[in-house]
Amino acid sequence: MTDPGLIAADVWQKVQSAAASTENVATAAVNASTADFNAQFLASALRVGGDAQYFEESISPTTVKNELSTADPSNPTYTATMLRGMKWLLASLSKGRDVSDFFPHVVKLVEAKSLEVRKMVYVYLVRYADHDVT
């Protein structure tokens, strides 16, 4: 900082006032953006969207089994159905549920056109490939 003795007192007063004003504006802007970020973060955390819904909602296993059994892996129009079923299976698997009953329905999805579906099938098969039902 400059020595106040070298600058006239009234000029020094104006410099200090401007600095304080700038600091207040900057602090208010940071606080406002932090509050806005926190509000958006909280709203997104409370909203169940995207793939998190597969952990929250309870789809009937029979519904998933029917969707996977009727889906034609060679037909790209069934990709959304296969994705929904596989996401539900993997979410259930990660929650510790036994979803080995779906094995025959998942094996036929190996020939799916969608790479995303095939990756999920691989994850499922790696888990249950050597699973003994007895």
Side-chain angles (χ1 to χ4, degrees), residues 60-69 85-86 88-90 92-93 96-109 124-125 127-134:
S60 166
T62 306
T63 303
V64 175
K65 202 173 277 191
N66 288 339
E67 285 184 352
L68 291 179
S69 65
M86 288 306 301
W88 182 86
L89 282 175
L90 294 179
S92 297
L93 182 86
R97 295 183 183 152
D98 181 24
V99 289
S100 60
D101 295 342
F102 293 89
F103 192 84
H105 304 291
V106 173
V107 168
K108 79 172 195 167
L109 300 180
Y124 178 90
L125 292 178
R127 170 65 176 89
Y128 285 110
D130 61 351
H131 183 71
D132 188 12
V133 180
T134 58

Side-chain angles (χ1 to χ4, degrees), residues 6-54:
L6 300 176
I7 300 176
D10 62 330
V11 173
W12 182 249
Q13 190 87 13
K14 289 179 183 177
V15 169
Q16 285 182 326
S17 175
S21 175
T22 303
E23 182 180 359
N24 290 340
V25 169
T27 302
V30 168
N31 289 341
S33 66
T34 302
D36 185 42
F37 173 78
N38 288 340
Q40 289 175 352
F41 180 75
L42 180 62
S44 68
L46 293 176
R47 181 180 59 241
V48 177
D51 293 340
Q53 67 182 346
Y54 297 102

Side-chain angles (χ1 to χ4, degrees), residues 67-89:
E67 285 184 352
L68 291 179
S69 65
T70 59
D72 180 14
S74 62
N75 189 347
T77 58
Y78 286 101
T79 300
T81 304
M82 293 183 286
L83 280 172
R84 188 172 47 250
M86 288 306 301
K87 286 177 181 181
W88 182 86
L89 282 175

